[in-house]
Amino acid sequence: MTDPLPEDQRLAELSSKAYEHPADRAATAALKSIPMLDQVVRKLIEFGYERALRQVFMGGSVKLGSDQLPEVWAAHRAALARLDIAEIPELYLTQFPVTNAAAIGSERPMVVVYSRTVEAFDEHELRTVLGHEAGHILSDHVLYRTALMILLSVSGLGRMPFFAGLPLLAVKLALLEWFRAAELSADRAATLVNRDPLVTCRTLMVIAGGMPSRKLDLDAFIRQAAAYQEWEPGWDKLARIRIELGQTHAFPVKRVSEVMKWVRSGEYDRIVAGEYVRRGDPLDVRAEAGDAADFYAERFRAIFRDAGAGVTKAGEQVGAAAEKIGEWLRTNRD
């Protein structure tokens, strides 16, 4: 894991737009359309909690580097290099009995790895976790996650000028959808780092079970993921969907299915072969914001179609709400 990264494996000038999930891309474009939001939220992050958190981790965690868990530090650097991220965020190890990690901050991001993560993952899985966090950093997800929390917590949201006419239930559903989609985007980035979709699936299995992958069966977990996705339409599936709609993270089995769906689409192979959007390439932000209407309307209609004919009317109502989101985006994106 300490071997240097071959230059031919670096995805030079990779743009996050190359791997982002459609819901992530559309919602991010919508947020970018709100005047001054980026600048305001960046300052809130910097002064509101980023500096304080940096002090907390510096005082209560272990800062990693070439002289402290050098193999983890090398994996961190390799993950960033593969996505062609030049600045190396600080890396901290903190005591926590969960197999996970987190990217924090916007102006000067840092990555926090939980102690259980280093213990439970093998070297390829650990690089996958760090690649996932590198994907969050490249996509600037920390900024927009904070923006969403602010937007959802503001009193009188519907009376604010740039939210006029926006149905609050619909926007909450859409924003939670974005939270989950951001994780799917980061899973894709992790797969570009490890260059093996099955390693990503294996890593998600460890996150789900909390045990080292050598004690688990990946084939059985992938079959479990397929069974989850292929569950027959009906009220059981509707109950599941109700749970999913209120979560910030999709279930690990669903994330496995999404990774494999992305790989089967050919997008993964195209990026690895060098066909991808690069930083600085012209992007049509207006078009991406407008695409949110189609994406969310179809997404929610599909959810209720899946649940069965008995909830067709509910599906139509949520689909209509999603269309209102798209209409609002088109009229407010300037």
Side-chain angles (χ1 to χ4, degrees):
M1 185 158 55
T2 57
D3 295 339
L5 182 74
E7 276 299 315
D8 62 353
Q9 293 185 8
R10 184 188 300 269
L11 295 167
E13 292 297 313
L14 176 73
S15 168
S16 61
K17 298 298 180 187
Y19 61 80
E20 284 172 350
H21 189 276
D24 182 359
R25 218 165 35 237
T28 300
L31 289 167
K32 281 182 177 292
S33 72
I34 299 174
M36 300 297 292
L37 180 66
D38 274 27
Q39 297 92 317
V40 171
V41 175
R42 284 186 195 279
K43 288 301 178 185
L44 287 171
I45 290 174
E46 181 183 354
F47 294 107
Y49 83 92
E50 185 172 331
R51 291 182 178 181
L53 277 177
R54 194 175 301 277
Q55 293 302 309
V56 167
F57 286 115
M58 187 172 288
S61 302
V62 177
K63 187 176 180 180
L64 303 187
S66 57
D67 57 349
Q68 192 75 270
L69 282 184
E71 68 279 6
V72 180
W73 176 249
H76 176 55
R77 289 178 61 94
L80 294 162
R82 184 151 285 175
L83 299 182
D84 202 23
I85 299 174
E87 285 194 35
I88 310 298
E90 294 176 349
L91 180 65
Y92 289 91
L93 177 72
T94 193
Q95 169 107 351
F96 207 67
V98 174
T99 49
N100 218 328
I104 299 169
S106 180
E107 291 298 324
R108 290 175 58 210
M110 53 186 164
V111 175
V112 179
V113 178
Y114 301 153
S115 53
R116 177 62 183 157
T117 301
V118 177
E119 294 172 348
F121 289 117
D122 67 25
E123 63 180 47
H124 301 292
E125 295 156 5
L126 179 59
R127 187 174 291 188
T128 301
V129 171
L130 292 167
H132 180 99
E133 301 310 322
H136 279 313
I137 290 170
L138 185 57
S139 293
D140 214 357
H141 282 153
V142 177
L143 172 71
Y144 288 111
R145 284 185 175 196
T146 306
L148 299 185
M149 287 187 287
I150 291 170
L151 298 182
L152 286 176
S153 63
V154 169
S155 176
L157 185 68
R159 295 192 298 272
M160 296 179 73
F162 45 76
F163 284 111
L166 184 61
L168 297 190
L169 172 61
V171 77
K172 287 181 180 179
L173 288 173
L175 297 185
L176 285 169
E177 178 80 5
W178 179 82
F179 267 81
R180 293 188 295 274
E183 289 301 306
L184 301 180
S185 293
D187 287 342
R188 294 176 176 187
T191 307
L192 293 172
V193 166
N194 64 36
R195 299 297 166 89
D196 187 344
L198 291 181
V199 171
T200 303
C201 296
R202 200 171 77 210
T203 304
L204 289 165
M205 177 178 66
V206 176
I207 289 173
M211 292 185 66
S213 58
R214 66 179 182 275
K215 297 184 178 181
L216 300 170
D217 188 310
L218 179 58
D219 289 339
F221 188 66
I222 290 175
R223 288 196 299 272
Q224 176 185 337
Y228 181 84
Q229 289 298 99
E230 294 166 5
W231 195 278
E232 289 190 11
W235 287 102
D236 283 348
K237 210 160 187 179
L238 178 59
R240 174 204 297 179
I241 289 162
R242 283 175 176 159
I243 295 169
E244 290 177 350
L245 287 176
Q247 292 179 319
T248 55
H249 289 62
F251 288 126
V253 290
K254 185 167 185 178
R255 289 167 65 181
V256 164
S257 298
E258 288 287 339
V259 166
M260 298 312 294
K261 186 191 303 181
W262 177 62
V263 171
R264 286 193 297 271
S265 75
E267 285 299 315
Y268 166 76
D269 288 328
R270 278 192 284 276
I271 294 173
V272 170
E275 297 178 31
Y276 54 81
V277 180
R278 286 166 168 76
R279 293 164 216 169
D281 285 355
L283 296 172
D284 191 341
V285 175
R286 289 189 175 191
E288 287 192 339
D291 286 346
D294 296 334
F295 180 85
Y296 288 122
E298 179 52 35
R299 162 69 175 147
F300 290 119
R301 283 201 190 96
I303 283 172
F304 285 96
R305 276 201 306 269
D306 240 4
V311 289
T312 301
K313 186 174 180 181
E316 290 172 352
Q317 289 173 345
V318 178
E323 285 174 352
K324 287 182 181 179
I325 293 176
E327 183 181 344
W328 175 83
L329 288 173
R330 290 191 181 98
T331 56
N332 290 274
R333 59 177 174 243
D334 295 328

